[in-house]
Amino acid sequence: MARISVVLGAVVVFLCTSFASARMYFLPDYQNGAYLKRVNDKSHADNSVFTPDLRSCADYSGFLSATDKGNMDCSIVKTFPDVGTCYSGCVCNSATYPYTSANCEHELKGGTCTDTTGKIHYERCYNPCDGLIDNDCGSYRCEVTYASEGCSSKCKTCFTDTCDYPENADFPLKADCEYGCDTQGTIDGCSTKCYVCRTCVPNDCSAYTLSKCPDNGVCDSCEIGCGDSTVKYKFAQCNLGFYDKDNFICGNQLCNWSLQ
């Protein structure tokens, strides 16, 4: 019969027979590997090289490896002889990583911690509006917000005149109209601009101070023109039989004579 033993990388073969003395042969390592391959061939139908199953922390229910635990704090730390240190009872520290997409409406920033459900917790909930001064514009509108800083809900500078509003930008200034404004009126509270400048020279009616001619009076008239149909009057005299009593009132001559 024969007996086979493996000793320190070499195979020692003992051959024993009933009529011969035992002999010992040493096989070098390269033959040793080939021998082990033949042994494995007998136990693996696919001729694969035998390797023992490698275990991990996941093989122990509820335990994580150091890589899987990441930044979580773990209440249980155990060392298993075949895999090393494993962790259980792991959660993200709510003081260090207090924010998730559920409680932050702004940008999540800073360090992260992924819990056992896959949810990511963050160190910071960054609100770009924090610390920015929101100017009170009173009756005026905001001119510039902090949009470039990521905060469009707060005002950086205010308009100080409604004439500067964008919708009024193209209207001419009254002072720039050579012949005055053709269309009068208030432009969104702006008193220094008009809709359209006049393009003709209006009549000078400055000497015509009356808006109407007095009863029984005779007046000279002046129409401003250039699109303005307003007529002004200047008193000339009373009609026949009346006289200029006062304030351009023409009274009845006979009646007023008897009262004098």
Side-chain angles (χ1 to χ4, degrees):
M1 61 178 292
R3 184 176 62 181
I4 301 175
S5 299
V6 179
V7 180
L8 297 176
V11 177
V12 180
V13 181
F14 294 93
L15 299 176
C16 299
T17 64
S18 60
F19 54 88
S21 60
R23 294 186 181 183
M24 182 174 63
Y25 298 90
F26 290 90
L27 299 178
D29 285 343
Y30 71 91
Q31 291 181 341
N32 178 19
Y35 170 74
L36 290 177
K37 177 65 170 61
R38 289 196 297 274
V39 172
N40 286 327
D41 287 346
K42 295 180 180 180
S43 59
H44 292 274
D46 61 356
N47 295 326
S48 60
V49 177
F50 175 78
T51 54
D53 292 337
L54 296 178
R55 298 180 65 82
S56 68
C57 291
D59 292 325
Y60 297 91
S61 180
F63 281 88
L64 302 172
S65 66
T67 300
D68 292 334
K69 93 174 187 65
N71 292 329
M72 287 189 287
D73 292 339
C74 303
S75 58
I76 301 174
V77 180
K78 290 189 69 175
T79 299
F80 297 98
D82 52 350
V83 296
T85 304
C86 298
Y87 305 85
S88 183
C90 301
V91 294
C92 291
N93 190 310
S94 59
T96 306
Y97 307 99
Y99 300 105
T100 67
S101 56
N103 63 356
C104 178
E105 298 179 354
H106 305 288
E107 185 179 1
L108 292 162
K109 281 192 171 185
T112 62
C113 174
T114 304
D115 63 23
T116 54
T117 68
K119 181 181 289 186
I120 303 176
H121 300 248
Y122 292 82
E123 288 181 320
R124 297 171 55 201
C125 179
Y126 175 67
N127 184 352
C129 293
D130 288 345
L132 298 179
I133 298 175
D134 189 13
N135 290 296
D136 182 5
C137 298
S139 60
Y140 296 103
R141 299 205 307 247
C142 179
E143 182 177 14
V144 180
T145 67
Y146 293 94
S148 59
E149 288 88 343
C151 176
S152 58
S153 62
K154 287 189 176 183
C155 186
K156 182 184 291 187
T157 59
C158 301
F159 283 106
T160 57
D161 193 331
T162 57
C163 296
D164 296 328
Y165 287 175
E167 62 268 27
N168 297 333
D170 295 333
F171 290 121
L173 288 170
K174 290 180 179 179
D176 294 336
C177 294
E178 185 177 359
Y179 306 119
C181 288
D182 184 49
T183 305
Q184 298 292 336
T186 300
I187 303 174
D188 192 20
C190 172
S191 61
T192 61
K193 290 186 175 184
C194 62
Y195 290 106
V196 180
C197 291
R198 286 180 178 148
T199 57
C200 70
V201 180
N203 293 317
D204 183 7
C205 298
S206 59
Y208 296 79
T209 58
L210 301 177
S211 58
K212 62 174 291 187
C213 188
D215 295 339
N216 303 311
V218 177
C219 298
D220 296 327
S221 64
C222 177
E223 183 175 342
I224 295 177
C226 292
D228 188 344
S229 59
T230 302
V231 178
K232 297 290 187 178
Y233 298 91
K234 179 170 65 174
F235 180 77
Q237 62 184 25
C238 287
N239 286 326
L240 184 62
F242 295 87
Y243 69 97
D244 183 6
K245 183 178 179 183
D246 53 36
N247 295 324
F248 305 120
I249 297 176
C250 293
N252 185 287
Q253 184 177 8
L254 295 177
C255 179
N256 284 285
W257 178 265
S258 63
L259 295 176
Q260 291 182 353

